[in-house]
Amino acid sequence: MFEARGLTKRYQTLLAVNDVNFTIGPGEILGYLGPNGSGKSTTINMVVGLLEPSSGWTALFGQRLDEHPEDYKRRVGYVPEEPHVYTHLTAIEYLELVGRLRRLPSRLLHEKIATLLQLFDLWDSRFLAMAGFSKGMRQRVLLCAALMHGPDLLVLDEPFSGLDVNAGMLYRILMPLPTTPMAWLVVASILGLVGGALRWFRRLTWGIYPLEFEDYLPSGINELRLE
């Protein structure tokens, strides 16, 4: 189970994120919604350990990031909005690098690389340098990298912003069917892009600007669970 408690981030006098609280259980998919500037990426950077909160904490199965940073990060998979990769590498070379950094056994690593590249329709391009890949293809490589080690928490920042139609369809098939129960945190600006794939939603009512959310969830509702 993933927990965020009291997450707050201040930049001098600017309050970017204020007292964020939520929990995601294994197998649950949380959609974290809000327009640009609402504090989504700041929250995500705190969740994955790229940004230290001004106050508050996150934990995976009771293990807090601020107390056990290496163990916590080892259990997280993260796909950023912009798919920055080493473009001189092939998809296989990049995934081998990530797998070795994750200390996956060689045989298991290559089995997972083959499975994921085929699942994300990248197998035929596996020996091509990623310099020639589209944004959608690079994003799919990062999805493979994030899933390889079987994370307990998978964090996806605007995952559909660069995916082509086929990848989006494939991705919707993958999300409800993780090989092991994972907690999913999916960040989006527009509910319609991800609504069909999510189990429940949390809309962002904090951040830099006073926000109106009629375009995200019905008026007066901050949280919606789908049974």
Side-chain angles (χ1 to χ4, degrees):
M1 177 179 291
F2 172 79
E3 297 176 83
R5 293 290 176 262
L7 279 185
T8 299
K9 186 62 182 179
R10 291 181 178 273
Y11 296 97
Q12 297 180 350
T13 60
L14 174 64
L15 182 61
V17 173
N18 182 31
D19 193 26
V20 173
N21 298 275
F22 57 85
T23 301
I24 317 174
E28 284 192 321
I29 305 173
L30 167 62
Y32 195 57
L33 308 176
N36 294 335
S38 60
K40 300 188 306 297
S41 292
T42 301
T43 304
I44 293 311
N45 286 336
M46 290 189 285
V47 167
V48 301
L50 295 176
L51 186 65
E52 184 176 352
S54 302
S55 61
W57 51 269
T58 61
L60 270 171
F61 294 97
Q63 191 172 61
R64 286 176 47 158
L65 171 59
D66 55 349
E67 296 174 351
H68 306 279
E70 290 187 8
D71 291 338
Y72 175 101
K73 292 177 182 179
R74 192 176 293 122
R75 304 169 76 176
V76 175
Y78 172 50
V79 181
E81 179 178 3
E82 291 299 324
H84 298 299
V85 295
Y86 298 116
T87 55
H88 62 285
L89 298 179
T90 67
I92 281 186
E93 290 170 339
Y94 181 81
L95 294 176
E96 286 177 343
L97 171 63
V98 172
R100 287 169 183 162
L101 291 172
R102 293 283 188 183
R103 299 180 181 177
L104 293 179
S106 179
R107 180 175 179 179
L108 176 63
L109 171 61
H110 287 96
E111 288 176 354
K112 289 201 169 190
I113 289 174
T115 298
L116 289 166
L117 287 178
Q118 291 179 57
L119 183 61
F120 283 99
D121 197 24
L122 290 165
W123 183 251
D124 291 342
S125 305
R126 65 192 183 278
F127 296 126
L128 301 178
M130 290 187 291
F133 281 18
S134 66
K135 179 180 179 180
M137 293 175 71
R138 294 178 189 180
Q139 203 162 25
R140 281 181 274 160
V141 172
L142 290 181
L143 282 164
C144 293
L147 288 165
M148 272 200 306
H149 61 295
D152 294 315
L153 173 67
L154 183 63
V155 180
L156 308 170
D157 193 352
E158 299 283 0
F160 292 100
S161 64
L163 291 176
D164 54 55
V165 173
N166 290 334
M169 293 172 61
L170 182 60
Y171 191 63
R172 285 170 181 267
I173 293 170
L174 178 65
M175 287 186 69
L177 301 172
T179 54
T180 58
M182 290 183 293
W184 302 72
L185 178 57
V186 183
V187 179
S189 298
I190 303 174
L191 175 59
L193 292 178
V194 294
L198 302 181
R199 306 275 176 80
W200 61 290
F201 312 102
R202 184 74 172 89
R203 78 178 163 186
L204 194 58
T205 55
W206 47 81
I208 298 173
Y209 305 109
L211 303 175
E212 298 295 335
F213 288 92
E214 286 76 6
D215 293 337
Y216 298 89
L217 295 177
S219 177
I221 297 177
N222 289 325
E223 182 175 300
L224 174 65
R225 288 180 180 268
L226 304 182
E227 301 296 341

